[in-house]
Amino acid sequence: MKKVKMAPHKKTKKIYVGTVPVGGGSPISVQSMTKTDTRDIKSTTRQIKSLAKAGCEIIRIAVPDMEAAKALGSIKKSTPIPVIADIHFDWRLALEAMRQGVDGLRINPGNIGARWKVAEVVAAASDRSVPIRIGVNAGSLSKKLLAKYGHPTAGALVESAEEHINILEQMNFREIKVSLKASNVPTTVAAYRLFSGRFRYPLHIGISEAGPSFTGIIKSSVGLGILLAGGIGDTVRVSLSADPHEEIRVAYEILKSLGLRTKGANIISCPTCGRCEIDIRGLASKVETRLKHFDKPITVAVMGCVVNGPGEAREADIGIAGGKGIGLLFRKGKILKKVEERELLNELMEEINR
């Protein structure tokens, strides 16, 4: 059977956020944002370390005031992954963040006032090799663009990004990454497609304010899936009103489902039907929990039917298929042995560990 080919990934300009390459054919990196008070150095550092262990590769930190900006140095020293300072309006916070050693800025040059203020930020970023992410959001478009377009359209988002890009390019600064986010999936997808057709700057993709876990995961999966399958996106963030670890887990699942990253376990399980005679839902949930922190790429099948299970999951590395009070343990579609239902989980985990 031929595999369905996705669109080739668009070749964008390569930049570096710390040691992490972004764009230019580099692996798509997973990003998140701290949900702690940045001024609380211990809590923020603890969260970043935990997120890095979960697979986060770039972390963004809100910088609402000078106290938070000055805390970045201590946070940066204890952080194993690159740090991006998220700044709005005040150019002095950007300058201080760079003095504290951040690896990137998220700041829109058109929103920080006079040209000389932008020039100071750009000069410091150039000297320190700090890239700038232009983050366009549907909720914060200029009054001028809203008057022109009537509401946040894809065209309005792209024109906003273009205005910010022009400011930086006029100052000979091109270490740029761009995002164009809305909470509306079709608008977001259209904006990224429109931008991607015009520019070569790397793109950070996401659905803004996607929502709590259930709705947020659906919106993010649909939006990011469409873009990634179309070859668009160099870094991703799943924005959820939830624990940031969930953002990382969902991001990797989206990337794995498209064959773009292979970190951790890919679990296949059947939805169950009248043929199922063992607790597949319970088993699948326990397998998922046991493999939550499993780093190696492996496909595991948890199937409810001994008739079709091994065949349907023949592409899996290893799996189980239930019968009445028993199950089959199989690898690559070939049956290894019969196992009592109560021992299925342990036998599966032992085989995975082997």
Side-chain angles (χ1 to χ4, degrees):
M1 182 187 296
K2 286 187 176 180
K3 290 187 177 180
V4 176
K5 288 186 178 180
M6 295 192 298
H9 201 76
K10 178 167 181 183
K11 192 72 177 290
T12 53
K13 172 183 168 64
K14 182 183 283 190
I15 65 171
Y16 282 85
V17 181
T19 57
V20 176
V22 173
S26 306
I28 297 165
S29 52
V30 173
Q31 187 171 316
S32 188
M33 188 171 184
T34 53
K35 303 197 179 189
T36 55
D37 184 335
T38 305
R39 293 162 291 200
D40 184 341
I41 295 171
K42 284 186 178 179
S43 294
T44 303
T45 302
R46 189 183 310 119
Q47 187 170 87
I48 295 171
K49 286 181 177 179
S50 181
L51 289 170
K53 189 175 179 181
C56 182
E57 293 163 316
I58 300 172
I59 192 71
R60 181 159 54 105
I61 303 177
V63 185
D65 56 28
M66 191 56 73
E67 184 183 352
K70 289 183 176 178
L72 291 171
S74 297
I75 293 168
K76 171 65 182 166
K77 286 175 186 174
S78 303
T79 299
I81 55 177
V83 170
I84 294 176
D86 188 283
I87 293 161
H88 296 275
F89 310 122
D90 193 339
W91 91 103
R92 292 167 296 187
L93 299 181
L95 294 175
E96 184 60 36
M98 286 186 281
R99 280 193 287 268
Q100 297 292 331
V102 298
D103 303 289
L105 293 177
R106 190 274 197 188
I107 189 166
N108 291 347
N111 296 342
I112 58 174
R115 189 177 177 84
W116 66 266
K117 296 177 181 178
V118 180
E120 280 196 25
V121 172
V122 168
S126 295
D127 289 344
R128 292 175 168 83
S129 298
V130 171
I132 293 174
R133 168 155 78 91
I134 292 170
V136 177
N137 193 296
S140 56
L141 289 173
S142 68
K143 291 179 181 178
K144 180 189 77 173
L145 286 173
L146 287 175
K148 177 179 177 179
Y149 288 91
H151 62 97
T153 65
L157 291 168
V158 173
E159 186 169 334
S160 178
E162 190 169 10
E163 288 177 355
H164 294 304
I165 288 170
N166 287 339
I167 293 170
L168 295 181
E169 288 184 339
Q170 286 165 13
M171 296 180 180
N172 295 315
F173 188 88
R174 289 176 172 79
E175 297 305 296
I176 299 168
K177 181 170 64 171
V178 177
S179 64
L180 308 107
K181 296 183 181 180
S183 57
N184 177 285
V185 172
T187 299
T188 304
V189 170
Y192 277 110
R193 283 174 170 169
L194 183 60
F195 183 92
S196 181
R198 296 183 186 176
F199 297 91
R200 286 190 63 249
Y201 287 115
L203 285 167
H204 169 71
I205 62 173
I207 306 299
S208 182
E209 293 92 33
S213 282
F214 180 74
T215 54
I217 289 170
I218 291 171
K219 285 183 184 178
S220 295
S221 298
V222 172
L224 297 183
I226 291 169
L227 290 170
L228 292 165
I232 296 171
D234 299 290
T235 71
V236 300
R237 187 213 171 176
V238 174
S239 300
L240 300 175
S241 302
D243 186 321
H245 294 82
E246 185 78 348
E247 297 185 353
I248 301 301
R249 192 170 73 90
V250 174
Y252 276 108
E253 287 301 321
I254 292 170
L255 292 169
K256 282 192 293 185
S257 72
L258 294 168
L260 296 170
R261 294 292 295 266
T262 56
K263 177 182 168 62
N266 175 33
I267 300 172
I268 301 168
S269 64
C270 69
T272 76
C273 68
R275 286 198 303 269
C276 185
E277 297 184 275
I278 64 172
D279 180 18
I280 282 297
R281 288 171 60 188
L283 269 172
S285 179
K286 288 173 184 174
V287 170
E288 183 178 44
T289 299
R290 294 268 192 109
L291 294 176
K292 199 170 185 178
H293 302 295
F294 194 84
D295 282 336
K296 295 177 182 177
I298 187 172
T299 298
V300 178
V302 182
M303 311 301 288
C305 174
V306 293
V307 176
N308 296 323
E312 289 174 350
R314 64 168 50 92
E315 298 298 319
D317 295 301
I318 190 169
I320 50 178
K324 188 173 183 179
I326 62 164
L328 302 177
L329 182 67
F330 60 88
R331 185 193 297 125
K332 298 289 187 185
K334 293 183 178 179
I335 296 169
L336 300 178
K337 59 181 173 179
K338 285 184 179 180
V339 180
E340 294 287 328
E341 180 179 352
R342 65 177 180 274
E343 294 298 325
L344 273 173
L345 180 63
N346 289 334
E347 288 281 351
L348 176 67
M349 293 308 301
E350 283 182 18
E351 191 64 31
I352 288 169
N353 290 329
R354 277 198 287 271

